[in-house]
Amino acid sequence: MPLVTDPQVLRDIATRIRILSVESTSAANSGHPTTCSSIAEVLSVLFFNTMRYTTSSPKDPSSDRFVLSKGHAAPALYAAWVENGLVQEKDLLKLRQLGCDLEGHPTPRLNFVDVGTGSLGQGLAIAAGMGYAVKNYDKIDARVYCLIGDGESAEGSIWESIAFISHYNLDNVTLIIDVNRLGQSEPTTLGHNLNLYKARLEAFGWNAIVVDGHNVEALVKAFDVAATTKNKPTALIAKTYKGRDFPGIEDKENWHGKALGKETERVLGHLRGLLKNQGQLKYTIPKPLTVAPQVNITNIQLSSPPNYKLGEALATRQSYGTALVKIAQSNPRVIALDGDMKNSTFSEQLKKYDASRYIECFIAEQNLVGAAIGAACRDRVVAFVSTFAAFLTRAFDQIRMGAISQTNVNFVGSHCGVSIGEDGASQMALEDIGMFRSIPGSTVFYPADAVSCERAVELAANSPGICYIRVNRPPTKVVYANNHQFQIGKANVLLSSNNDQVLFIGGGVTLQEGLAAAAQLAQQKVNVRVLDPFTVKPIDQQAIIKNARECGGRILVVEDHYPEGGLGEAVLSAVAEERDIYVRKVAVPKVPRSGTTAGVLDYYGLSAKHIVNYLLEVLKK
Amino acid sequence: MPLVTDPQVLRDIATRIRILSVESTSAANSGHPTTCSSIAEVLSVLFFNTMRYTTSSPKDPSSDRFVLSKGHAAPALYAAWVENGLVQEKDLLKLRQLGCDLEGHPTPRLNFVDVGTGSLGQGLAIAAGMGYAVKNYDKIDARVYCLIGDGESAEGSIWESIAFISHYNLDNVTLIIDVNRLGQSEPTTLGHNLNLYKARLEAFGWNAIVVDGHNVEALVKAFDVAATTKNKPTALIAKTYKGRDFPGIEDKENWHGKALGKETERVLGHLRGLLKNQGQLKYTIPKPLTVAPQVNITNIQLSSPPNYKLGEALATRQSYGTALVKIAQSNPRVIALDGDMKNSTFSEQLKKYDASRYIECFIAEQNLVGAAIGAACRDRVVAFVSTFAAFLTRAFDQIRMGAISQTNVNFVGSHCGVSIGEDGASQMALEDIGMFRSIPGSTVFYPADAVSCERAVELAANSPGICYIRVNRPPTKVVYANNHQFQIGKANVLLSSNNDQVLFIGGGVTLQEGLAAAAQLAQQKVNVRVLDPFTVKPIDQQAIIKNARECGGRILVVEDHYPEGGLGEAVLSAVAEERDIYVRKVAVPKVPRSGTTAGVLDYYGLSAKHIVNYLLEVLKK
């Protein structure tokens, strides 16, 4: 899009963005006005000349997208939406106040924000996922703009996304690097050496343009080059100054993250003096070129019910692959992403069924997660992300921010626990349940068998918030009938009698070991009740308390996880306010070793043999 | 180091590495023989021509270091140590068996391994830290070699380290990229396009050499160029083939992570036929050029005791800075690393005291953590890593692997909880205690005031394993006398009477709110006992149970953390096996908002006002 708005108007809007940024942060007495100032012209040109969108419908899927990866410049973004009329100026003066959605960093509580930002280096993965979905699923002409800081470009996640975007030729994605030279506590490593950024981007397959980030005409032209450059993405390397047009502050250190305080009025006076036009400004916001298709991602179902035999043994990771294809058969917007583990996680089943709906993200888990969150924005797809559960820890920050972003992405972690055996500790997820439980609003599934795993996938596809499904590497026996009805937060009692003395709770492999232990003890006339929580979060508090009481207030929890944050502590939280319930918790106590599955399960005390002994001890309590 | 060993001997050693890799993985019936094969010549040249080390003393600090970042090639590394005589061949045939330290991926259970690898993309940060410490602290001529896979180079963490190493001109670090073209489930994005790797490395400031990775003379020469190139690091981009010299398997897909099975004998026959020399081979392993200084990193003490007034208010992050300088004054090997947050975490205090002992890692938390672990290897330094606690989630995988690596690195996370106020959810750590509790062998400190924070820093400096200190942004009042003696795992009762009815447990800000609430209730003749756990892990189980019993079996825990994995669940685990203890747990229930510190504490129910109400409810239980 070439120049459609008078450049002086664009300059004045940039100045007004600066004024509002200063006013709002000074009113809040905190925030990052100098960070806002360096990007004022970029925002002015994007929002009032280049981007195609509809102010009244800020999340219209047909529109161009903007991701402010450097989230601490939030007031500048808010100011742009004040200028175009969506946000009221008086609200911006409540910046950072409790109850005001114009928070310190952007979140989707605001109707013009797709994702939460503020943990640096994450926005470009979001843009990558948006660009991929727009190009390959919506197949429309919408463009995605992502603005990052120069200090932020040190984050490795940025380079994962840079590689991903060029590998998939996402020419609808434009990156803008705000090279203002100054980090929080000292200058960046590259300073204003713009050609170094250019060389790095070019080596990663990008078209890279060095541009004066305070020159609106140059920006318009560069964005036009970006829009017309095909088969490779374009980056604008914008030379800017932190605190631009703040006399005495511009380009100076020690002004990061500080409201201007007693300098406020002096700076505002200078800025107001720069305005050439007063009152209502005349600008053109181009309309979207194409219309995004309507999509329906509700009520997703398995195309056929689970079809297993009781007692049949197979790995839940395998039934994940089966279920993924089944929901993909029933809804064309189901997609999967993986980090070069598809032949271990069985996500390759979807690639075999419909290669267009599988996104290979290679060994780059942070971009993997971010791209999924980006693709799922504006409810365009239902995304499943899989890899070894241990490697999802690589993206904990992205997952954490995913909750702030109100994402509905589903995660599947395979190769959990010591039960993977020979590969050893580095590949064993033993903290994954704890990690996903700590995500606000999350649902954590821990299917015991193939039937429950298929239903977990189906439920996850339809559940809001982040869902996590923990799947096993070794086979587990089918314990549910194919027609069993599962619910989130509803436990199932797999074994019970009128005379149970202990309630056993396990998950996946340990549930199976517990069933074997209970069978052994039954021969000694010791009755054990076995409960499968199905979801660790929310956990079925009512069922646990009721069944525990019926078992003399005795619970044994055995889990293939470290002792902290997992199933055991979920059970403890459920019974915290109950007096008279005894809980024995068994978990993996230290960094484990390689060995066979059966060998390590036994060595770390998780096998049926050990569970028999724990149960005999617990029933004396 | 030019050629010192007959090249045919180097070729034969490479073949013997292949033979041992095949034999051991076939004996284990699992593992990655094709991955081993592509690096056989690189290992042969490094271990039998180029690297300076002493076989009998594999962790001699004077020696060159080798980091196998692509840890799944472990059998090839083990085979090199069989060849040089440290490891017995018969032990290698027990690969991956329970009890054998030759595990699926390398760990420091082996005396020739510095760090655990197997989660890809982490080794180069380790090498960066080693190289930095060798060059700047030990000031010796030892070199550091790090071997990564080509698929692995997609990890952003690699690019963080590449930038770090060139920024600090660590010319003693040599990176080798094993470009074998094949990932786990499909070819890599760049295939054998070696010049693309070269261009990327050069753009990041490296000297990059494309080399035939199966030609021992070419490798010797390239390593010599690396050793003699000053002021910039060198990377060898080695063109290799996966499954090299395995006829019918070399360069073929679908052979990742598979023992050769029925192909074993055929391949071994071919490999044995390649050997030109039989029996004992004659080689030269060069000795280290310089001797590393002896260092003492034990019994580190604050140079002067805490010096505060009771009731004085200051942020624990500030006392972290004070304590860091004090222990640095008493021991020259204390260092600090930060990710451009030093003016917020107060680690800049050390930079001001002694700039040489502060390492700025910029906004790249994965390399920050990895470099600290690398620097601390072989007990060369005591390292403290600080940033916002929320951003430590970015390096969860590195921290997880740090436990496998038996690291003693200390972490300090500032800006925890909603109490940071205005910046909003993206900057609030609300899952950090859960994350660090789930690390095996970790110690988690949660100091309530300046005195306890200084002692936490001192204790952490001397404690094995990973230590985490959670520090607050807002000021908290000094509640301990300057001469108070603190112990890990020992709680302190801050308020008690003969007639306490509820035990209150809090941490940091909520402990202070609890004290205020208890003071209010005391006026109503309701006595509350207040306990400061000091360490959340290990938690003082004995004190909690004893004090809870003395308070009618009633506990209230209030924490500035999400409900999962934090202080509340630590307390629940401590009392799990006690009947007749009621626990009420209050935490931040959802993604929080921006606001003032007092405002958000109150909004999320963590303020003294709310705690009064909880206490009144709990004492009815």
Side-chain angles (χ1 to χ4, degrees), chain B residues 174-189:
Chain B
T174 300
L175 165 66
I176 307 105
I177 308 184
D178 173 39
V179 186
N180 67 21
R181 191 184 76 78
L182 295 173
Q184 168 170 326
S185 68
E186 65 176 79
T188 63
T189 57

Side-chain angles (χ1 to χ4, degrees), chain A residues 30 32 96-101 103-105 109 117-122 151-152 154-157 159-160 167 183-187 189 196 199-200 203-204 340-344 351 360 362-366 390-391 393-394 396-398 400-401 403-404 422-423 425-428 431 435 437-438 440 537 552-554 562 564-565 569 572-573 576-585 590-595 599-600 603 621, chain B residues 30 32 96-101 103-105 109 117-122 151-152 154-157 159-160 167 183-187 189 196 199-200 203-204 340-344 351 360 362-366 390-391 393-394 396-398 400-401 403-404 422-423 425-428 431 435 437-438 440 537 552-554 562 564-565 569 572-573 576-585 590-595 599-600 603 621:
Chain A
S30 69
H32 303 77
R96 294 173 161 243
Q97 288 181 21
L98 194 58
C100 175
D101 288 341
E103 299 188 69
H105 293 75
R109 288 186 180 119
T117 52
S119 181
L120 295 173
Q122 301 195 16
E152 181 180 6
E155 289 284 12
S157 50
W159 295 92
E160 293 181 5
H167 178 69
Q184 168 168 326
S185 67
E186 64 176 81
T189 58
L196 272 180
R200 293 183 183 185
F204 274 77
D340 194 20
M341 292 293 184
K342 57 183 175 290
N343 51 352
S344 288
K351 185 175 181 187
E360 179 55 64
F362 303 97
I363 309 174
E365 294 79 10
Q366 298 193 62
F391 304 150
T393 58
R394 197 62 155 267
F396 189 14
D397 198 15
Q398 279 76 8
R400 175 183 81 88
M401 290 298 298
I404 297 172
E422 290 84 353
D423 270 341
S426 65
Q427 320 292 300
M428 295 168 170
E431 54 292 288
M435 179 173 83
R437 280 184 68 233
S438 73
K537 182 184 174 189
R554 295 180 205 97
Y562 286 135
E564 298 86 5
E569 292 195 344
L572 286 169
S573 279
E577 299 189 22
E578 297 300 307
R579 290 192 185 241
D580 212 26
I581 291 183
Y582 168 98
V583 181
R584 175 87 180 270
K585 177 164 75 87
K590 56 187 169 183
V591 173
R593 288 176 167 277
S594 293
V600 292
Y603 188 79
K621 301 290 175 177
Chain B
S30 69
H32 303 77
R96 294 172 162 243
Q97 289 181 20
L98 194 59
C100 176
D101 288 341
E103 299 188 68
H105 293 76
R109 288 185 180 121
T117 53
S119 180
L120 294 174
Q122 301 196 14
E152 181 179 6
E155 289 283 12
S157 50
W159 295 92
E160 293 182 4
H167 178 70
Q184 168 170 326
S185 68
E186 65 176 79
T189 57
L196 272 180
R200 292 183 184 185
F204 274 77
D340 194 21
M341 292 293 183
K342 58 184 175 288
N343 51 352
S344 288
K351 184 175 181 187
E360 179 55 64
F362 303 96
I363 309 175
E365 294 78 10
Q366 298 189 74
F391 303 149
T393 58
R394 197 61 156 269
F396 189 14
D397 199 15
Q398 279 77 7
R400 176 183 81 88
M401 291 298 298
I404 297 172
E422 289 84 354
D423 270 339
S426 65
Q427 321 291 300
M428 296 168 169
E431 55 292 288
M435 180 173 82
R437 278 185 70 234
S438 73
K537 182 183 174 189
R554 295 180 205 94
Y562 286 136
E564 298 86 5
E569 292 197 342
L572 286 169
S573 279
E577 300 190 22
E578 297 300 307
R579 291 192 185 242
D580 212 27
I581 292 183
Y582 168 98
V583 181
R584 174 89 181 270
K585 178 164 75 88
K590 55 187 170 183
V591 173
R593 286 177 168 277
S594 293
V600 291
Y603 188 79
K621 301 291 177 176

